Amino acid sequence: TLVESLVAMALLSVVALALVGVMRSIAQTETRLDARVASADEMRATASLLKRIVERVVIAPRSGPVGAVPDAKQFDGNAQALIWTGIMPAGYGVSGKHRFLLRSEVLQEGTSLVLRFAPAEDLDKTPDWSLADSRVLVKGLVGWRIDYLDDRREPPGVQESWPTSNSLPARLVLHIQTAAGNWPDLVLPVREVSAPMAPSGPFVAGGRE
């Protein structure tokens, strides 16, 4: 009858609405899972690259004349930026001794944590970072900070900057906040290695801690 048909249509409408709601919920859940997986992959890649570079910091003799005042420190850091000389791992570009700059930059896709690097041809001069190669480490950056851990203090202390390039902190701690949430703190041991003979190249000799 007409009444039965109307009841059946109403029931079908309710079932269809329920199915639409379930499908929308599944799609939203999948999107959130994809975002979390992408964030975890970004976190692992960033931590791996920084760990491999920071574990191979170079404090090399100056190349300029004796008594000349250099315009660049080999290791110079504050809460918002870090410049250092290190060894670029194979597989990330041209390997060998490089100057690195880690800082936040405003790019087309928004604020990001960027690693810039240039061959360390002259340790007494600061590279032109606008011409240096770069790698975006973290997208959607909301805030970040570097802490420098000095184990030579008793008790071990945390500093917001590193004032000298003649010695290195024991560890760096990176605090990173993104639009997707806060990252776990990245703790990076800092180790010194012997400088390679050439400023850049495919081979790197072993070093010392």
Side-chain angles (χ1 to χ4, degrees):
T1 65
L2 180 60
V3 174
E4 292 173 335
S5 299
L6 291 175
V7 171
M9 292 177 64
L11 291 175
L12 287 174
S13 299
V14 171
V15 172
L17 288 174
L19 287 175
V20 170
V22 170
M23 295 300 293
R24 182 183 295 113
S25 177
I26 292 175
Q28 291 174 346
T29 301
E30 185 177 359
T31 300
R32 288 194 295 267
L33 287 175
D34 289 342
R36 289 186 179 181
V37 170
S39 178
D41 290 342
E42 183 181 52
M43 191 183 309
R44 283 193 294 268
T46 297
S48 175
L49 174 58
L50 290 178
K51 183 175 183 293
R52 293 183 66 183
I53 296 176
V54 173
E55 282 188 334
R56 308 180 79 185
V57 175
V58 175
I59 302 295
R62 295 289 183 177
S63 58
V66 177
V69 179
D71 68 356
K73 293 181 179 179
Q74 294 188 47
F75 190 94
D76 186 17
N78 56 45
Q80 295 298 315
L82 175 63
I83 298 175
W84 75 101
T85 303
I87 307 299
M88 174 65 79
Y92 291 96
V94 180
S95 60
K97 188 169 61 176
H98 280 66
R99 294 282 283 166
F100 296 95
L101 168 63
L102 181 66
R103 68 181 178 187
S104 62
E105 297 183 12
V106 179
L107 306 176
Q108 291 183 349
E109 60 268 25
T111 304
S112 302
L113 185 61
V114 178
L115 178 69
R116 292 190 173 271
F117 48 94
E121 298 175 352
D122 189 347
L123 297 180
D124 296 326
K125 294 183 180 180
T126 300
D128 185 350
W129 294 116
S130 64
L131 302 177
D133 293 328
S134 64
R135 183 184 181 95
V136 176
L137 301 181
V138 183
K139 299 178 181 178
L141 191 68
V142 174
W144 84 297
R145 188 182 81 251
I146 308 175
D147 287 337
Y148 302 83
L149 273 62
D150 186 0
D151 286 350
R152 291 169 298 181
R153 295 183 177 186
E154 288 297 338
V158 176
Q159 299 180 205
E160 295 183 352
S161 63
W162 196 255
T164 175
S165 62
N166 297 324
S167 63
L168 299 174
R171 290 180 297 279
L172 304 178
V173 182
L174 272 60
H175 310 274
I176 297 174
Q177 299 88 42
T178 70
N182 296 346
W183 285 23
D185 291 345
L186 300 182
V187 181
L188 307 173
V190 181
R191 295 186 176 90
E192 181 184 351
V193 299
S194 300
M197 296 301 293
S200 61
F203 302 104
V204 175
R208 66 180 187 281
E209 290 189 7

